[in-house]
Structure formats: C-alpha cells, structure tokens
C-alpha cells in the first residue's frame, strides 16, 4: 500500500519538485501552501507522513506541527528549512519541541529525502513519535 504524504511549503518550486519526486516513487502526495492550508489538508487526507517547511509567512509552522502531533501522535513529521537561525542544533530543538521526528536542511538532494523516508518506514516510526535526527 502506498504511503500518504503531505508536503507543506510556501515555495511553489520546492512544493512541486518534492511532489514530483515522491509521486514517481509511488507515494500519494497532497500539498499545502502554508500552515493553515497544510493543517486543512492534514485533516482532510490523514497522511502518514508530513514534510513541512519551518519558515513560512506568519511563522505558522511550529503551531501547525504541534496541532498535527496533538491530533495524531503516530504521524511521522519531517521539518525542513533553509533558514536555520541559531544553527542546526537550535533548529532541531525547535522542530522537536513542535513534534517533528526529523529535519532536513535545504537545499537537499533527492536521495537525502528518499533515504530519510526509507529510514522512517524501516524504523517503524509511523507507529510512534520519536525525536531523532
């Protein structure tokens, strides 16, 4: 069975390039343009995995991830960002506090994302939230 993935990013090019990659690998992909839209798509499509940008207009990402985690503690959440203020350790801490399992620093290679998704699936992280990078 194909995994359902929600990709949330305000950058259209990133959103669509990630969607093309994941669809080519057999995933069922839903897109969100910002935190509010992403949360609506989360409710509507109930994805097993969420890939969310952390820097979006209105700084909605932290709140969106926290709300998704509260509704579904089993969803795997990958936070991503190209703007890591305070360095990677600070970003990881903020992402984990919001409920993210992993993070990706932009720009990333397609293989990095695919490897991380395989790790999430192989480690059984879809059954419980884990805080590891």
């Amino acid at each position: 069975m194909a995994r359902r993935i929600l990709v949330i990013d305000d950058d259209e090019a990133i959103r669509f390039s990630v969607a093309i990659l994941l669809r080519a690998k057999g995933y069922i992909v839903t897109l969100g343009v910002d935190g509010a839209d992403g949360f609506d798509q989360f409710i509507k499509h109930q994805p097993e995995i969420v890939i969310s940008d952390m820097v979006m207009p209105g700084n909605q990402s932290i709140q969106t991830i926290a709300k998704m985690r509260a509704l579904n503690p089993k969803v795997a959440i990958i936070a991503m960002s190209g703007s890591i203020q305070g360095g990677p350790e600070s970003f990881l801490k903020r992402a984990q506090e919001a409920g993210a399992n992993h993070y990706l620093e932009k720009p990333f290679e397609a293989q990095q994302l695919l490897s991380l998704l395989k790790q999430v699936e192989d480690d059984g992280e879809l059954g419980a939230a884990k805080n590891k990078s």
Side-chain angles (χ1 to χ4, degrees):
M1 183 174 91
R3 299 266 185 220
R4 295 179 312 277
I5 297 181
L6 170 61
V7 177
I8 307 169
D9 199 309
D10 59 314
D11 184 320
E12 183 177 33
I14 292 173
R15 203 170 51 243
F16 285 113
S17 62
V18 170
I20 289 168
L21 170 69
L22 296 179
R23 287 178 178 141
K25 295 297 181 181
Y27 292 99
I28 299 167
V29 181
T30 302
L31 302 175
V33 300
D34 59 26
D37 181 49
F39 187 71
D40 289 344
Q41 298 302 321
F42 179 80
I43 298 293
K44 183 176 180 182
H45 296 281
Q46 300 180 4
E48 298 157 290
I49 301 169
V50 174
I51 302 170
S52 180
D53 188 16
M54 290 296 290
V55 180
M56 293 186 282
N59 202 19
Q60 308 165 345
S61 55
I62 297 289
Q63 297 88 347
T64 300
I65 289 173
K67 289 183 349 184
M68 289 187 290
R69 174 63 68 217
L71 280 179
N72 181 357
K74 296 181 180 183
V75 67
I77 300 174
I78 299 170
M80 61 180 174
S81 180
S83 300
I84 300 181
Q85 299 169 345
E89 296 80 17
S90 173
F91 176 78
L92 176 58
K93 183 178 180 196
R94 288 194 327 255
Q96 287 178 330
E97 287 170 354
N101 303 78
H102 296 275
Y103 79 95
L104 273 175
E105 186 174 346
K106 295 179 192 174
F108 53 85
E109 298 292 325
Q111 193 55 47
Q112 286 176 278
L113 175 57
L114 295 174
S115 293
L116 184 53
L117 289 171
K118 182 173 178 4
Q119 178 184 343
V120 166
E121 293 172 330
D122 289 350
D123 289 351
E125 292 184 33
L126 302 175
K130 293 181 183 177
N131 288 328
K132 61 187 215 182
S133 60

